[in-house]
Amino acid sequence: MICEADITRAIIKTATEELLNNIEVDVIIAGGGPTGLTCARYLAQAGKRVVLFERKLSYGGGMPGGGMLFPRIVIQKEAAGILEEIKVRLVPYDKKYYTADSVEAISKMAVAAIDAGLRIYPAVSVEDVVIREDDRVSGAVINWSSVLMAGLHVDPLAIMSKFVVDATGHEAFVTRVFVQKNPDVRLKTKTGKVIGEKSMWAQKGEADFVRLTKEIFPGLVLSGMAVNAVLGMPRMGAIFGGMLFSGKRAAEIILKKLNKKSLK
Ligand code: 48F
């Protein structure tokens, strides 16, 4: 006989047990778009403990919607390997590009990362970071997105980590809040500030931002469209090669430090 009380107990018990195991992790990723999921997969495949908080009920960010809801993505040929590794079916287009089904691509990215050990928490927002006296970002402040949307005064909780990745896309939400709340902070960028993204210019937008993916403050790594938003670089629309490379690069930067056992 199915018992409602059993179902309730099963959900609350297993979910809280699992969450209790993730109060202190290696890496917290804020945002489950293509960059966040790619970064998470490489970190999890390397055996690191990584959790991802996604503000919306479902992961994917800007990828499932393709270009203006046409459910296709375009990637540069050089980025093909990152999707081939996880068996996304690519169709060559015009020698320079591949196209793929946007829903297949993002689904396989999530599955591969989850299979490698990633834990995704849907409908949970990163609303701030935890900072320590030695000027290091040391965790994320989280709350239910529904609480924030309802404007309820409910105190958040904190999850501790060695690194936080801002993969929140066009808003660069985490970095923006961090700078706003700590006016003395200077990011490791030319201006030290959050500039905001520029109008679309795909070639220029894609050109530099993978190289500029970096730890912009001790413990805080910027990845994906958030890089362009912070540095004042153009948006690039529905081409995703750079997003994949940026996620991979963010993972490489973090792995190098974690494996050295020195976070400096
Ligand atoms: O926007 P998004 O897909 O960023 P991305 O991974 O990729 C950008 C492309 O999709 C596209 C593009 C291609 O050239 O320009 O836009 O850099 O994914 C960001 C995710 O972060 C979530 C948001 O809901 C989205 O799924 N997010 C935003 N703010 C928060 C958040 C937050 N404070 N906490 C948790 N998740």
Side-chain angles (χ1 to χ4, degrees), residues 100-113:
D101 180 301
S102 59
V103 176
E104 176 189 346
I106 199 72
S107 305
K108 288 183 173 169
M109 288 163 73
V111 167

Side-chain angles (χ1 to χ4, degrees), residues 1-12:
M1 181 108 78
I2 292 174
C3 169
E4 289 81 356
D6 288 343
I7 297 170
T8 304
R9 242 178 247 115
I11 288 176
I12 295 179

Side-chain angles (χ1 to χ4, degrees), residues 19-254:
L19 182 57
L20 283 171
N21 278 330
N22 281 327
I23 305 289
E24 288 171 286
V25 294
D26 292 316
V27 184
I28 292 168
I29 313 240
T35 302
L37 286 171
T38 303
C39 180
R41 169 167 70 93
Y42 285 111
L43 290 167
Q45 282 175 339
K48 302 305 171 196
R49 294 191 60 187
V50 42
V51 295
L52 186 155
F53 297 108
E54 166 53 51
R55 179 159 67 185
K56 298 201 172 137
L57 199 46
S58 163
Y59 58 76
M63 193 175 254
M68 219 182 103
L69 287 185
F70 293 101
R72 307 292 299 177
I73 54 160
V74 173
I75 60 162
Q76 302 87 324
K77 226 174 164 179
E78 308 81 67
I82 299 180
L83 293 184
E84 279 167 350
E85 279 172 14
I86 52 171
K87 302 196 167 27
V88 176
R89 289 167 299 176
L90 300 174
V91 181
Y93 186 85
D94 199 19
K95 295 205 176 112
K96 287 188 292 197
Y97 311 107
Y98 283 101
T99 66
D101 180 301
S102 59
V103 176
E104 176 189 346
I106 199 72
S107 305
K108 288 183 173 169
M109 288 163 73
V111 167
I114 291 166
D115 282 349
L118 170 69
R119 182 69 182 88
I120 299 179
Y121 292 93
V124 177
S125 295
V126 174
E127 60 164 69
D128 196 355
V129 295
V130 180
I131 185 142
R132 281 283 173 270
E133 285 147 27
D134 59 355
D135 275 350
R136 184 174 179 88
V137 169
S138 306
V141 177
I142 58 164
N143 213 331
W144 307 116
S145 299
S146 47
V147 162
L148 298 174
M149 285 164 80
L152 302 178
H153 183 168
V154 177
D155 269 330
L157 292 174
I159 303 289
M160 303 306 284
S161 65
K162 293 171 185 133
F163 289 93
V164 173
V165 178
D166 184 353
T168 59
H170 297 263
E171 283 179 70
F173 184 90
V174 176
T175 309
R176 227 176 255 280
V177 167
F178 177 52
V179 169
Q180 217 172 48
K181 294 204 173 196
N182 303 279
D184 296 339
V185 151
R186 215 187 136 76
L187 303 175
K188 287 191 238 161
T189 64
K190 253 190 209 154
T191 64
K193 301 200 166 13
V194 177
I195 300 176
E197 74 182 29
K198 298 254 181 329
S199 293
M200 192 182 288
W201 184 353
Q203 170 66 37
K204 194 164 165 22
E206 287 280 293
D208 280 336
F209 89 106
V210 176
R211 183 177 55 78
L212 295 169
T213 297
K214 64 173 177 178
E215 190 178 14
I216 44 158
F217 189 83
L220 179 62
V221 173
L222 199 55
S223 184
M225 197 59 215
V227 175
N228 289 35
V230 169
L231 299 181
M233 287 154 49
R235 65 186 307 187
M236 47 289 231
I239 183 148
F240 285 84
M243 296 301 146
L244 306 178
F245 277 126
S246 177
K248 186 174 183 186
R249 181 164 161 77
E252 286 164 355
I253 291 167
I254 293 170

